[in-house]
Amino acid sequence: MIDSLLVIGCGNMAGAMLEGWLAAGRAASCFTIVDPVRENAPGGIPVLRDVPQAGAFDAILLGVKPQNLAEVAPLIAPLAGGGTLMLSLLAGVELDVLAREFPAARGHVRVMPNLAVSLGKAPIALAAQGLEQDETAAVTALMQPLGTPEWIGQDRFDLVTALAGSGPAFVYRFIDALGAAAIRLGLPEEQARRLALAMVEGASALAAGSPHDPGKLAEMVASKGGVTRAGLDVLDDNGALIRLVTDTLRAARDRSAEMAREARG
């Protein structure tokens, strides 16, 4: 069990994770937060300005900017002994780099969620080095209230980062594009944006609860020669939408890999 968690850097993502844990019933006393600028934390948890010089924690969650790892690692390393797991939100920082910076920790885990952790609805990619079976189970249990934990090989972490971590931004852009297109075609701006958002919210909920995959659902909505089919024909023309999304994920994946090379030094 992971009952005590030291959070180093409580930005948007770590803050959303805290909101998710607290909403799921985890006690605020489980968390110690260090952040040099944040004034308030979810649940009224006190925020320390400096890393404590002593203490025993089951796990340490790194939420600092990746480029700041070398600066903060020497401050954290004395707390990362053999009884402590290192959990990292740092994009592009691979397990070998974590092991180099925190060699005494009992294991190292990369964590890639998205902001839906605050609602308990995020996919959470996990990759680990040095964990025993019970430790893997403990990390899974810690992440379970935040959404859907998925253990993957680190060789696929850049791609899953692009899909599950960056993916919400691509969905938001598509929602925005639906509204913008409706505005261009004549709908009032506020009405177009309300309708686009409500449509996506309902469609997502139906897809999540359906026994059919999204591709099948699209076909079920479209009838031959109908309105929906006319629109799908544009998206499907020579795989236009799939090609666009493939290029999008490739760009994000490749940037993640580039950041990993930079982190390795």
Side-chain angles (χ1 to χ4, degrees):
M1 289 291 292
I2 297 175
D3 294 320
S4 59
L5 184 66
L6 174 63
V7 180
I8 306 293
C10 191
N12 291 335
M13 187 60 69
M17 294 173 78
L18 283 170
E19 290 178 12
W21 279 317
L22 293 171
R26 172 84 56 151
S29 59
C30 295
F31 306 102
T32 301
I33 299 173
V34 178
D35 193 288
V37 296
R38 185 161 186 158
E39 294 295 334
N40 302 301
I45 302 171
V47 180
L48 304 178
R49 290 289 175 250
D50 300 308
V51 176
Q53 295 186 359
F57 302 95
D58 294 327
I60 297 174
L61 178 67
L62 296 174
V64 300
K65 295 183 183 300
Q67 58 267 31
N68 293 341
L69 177 60
E71 177 185 347
V72 301
L75 304 175
I76 303 166
L79 301 173
T84 302
L85 287 173
M86 294 300 304
L87 312 178
S88 171
L89 300 175
L90 279 57
V93 176
E94 296 178 317
L95 293 168
D96 286 348
V97 175
L98 294 173
R100 181 187 71 200
E101 298 291 346
F102 308 104
R106 81 172 190 254
H108 305 84
V109 184
R110 293 185 70 182
V111 184
M112 180 51 64
N114 65 46
L115 290 175
V117 287
S118 64
L119 305 176
K121 293 184 177 294
I124 305 164
L126 301 166
Q129 180 174 293
L131 267 63
E132 301 291 340
Q133 185 173 355
D134 61 332
E135 293 162 346
T136 300
V139 173
T140 301
L142 177 68
M143 299 298 166
Q144 199 81 54
L146 306 182
T148 307
E150 294 276 354
W151 290 94
I152 62 172
Q154 187 172 238
D155 59 332
R156 295 176 177 169
F157 210 85
D158 294 322
L159 177 56
V160 175
T161 295
L163 174 61
S166 301
F170 309 147
V171 173
Y172 300 150
R173 187 69 85 201
F174 185 69
I175 297 171
D176 184 61
L178 286 169
I183 293 165
R184 286 188 179 186
L185 294 172
L187 275 185
E189 180 175 352
E190 291 303 317
Q191 186 175 54
R193 299 198 185 283
R194 281 198 308 271
L195 288 170
L197 185 58
M199 180 279 297
V200 172
E201 182 181 17
S204 177
L206 282 173
S210 174
H212 304 294
D213 66 62
K216 175 64 175 177
L217 289 175
E219 294 300 321
M220 291 169 65
V221 175
S223 56
K224 186 176 181 180
V227 173
T228 305
R229 175 57 61 191
L232 284 179
D233 286 346
V234 175
L235 296 178
D236 295 343
D237 184 32
N238 290 319
L241 182 59
I242 292 177
R243 285 189 287 109
L244 176 62
V245 175
T246 300
D247 289 345
T248 301
L249 291 183
R250 181 184 293 112
R253 179 203 65 186
D254 291 352
R255 176 54 184 150
S256 180
E258 183 180 33
M259 290 173 67
R261 290 192 294 272
E262 293 169 355
R264 286 195 297 268

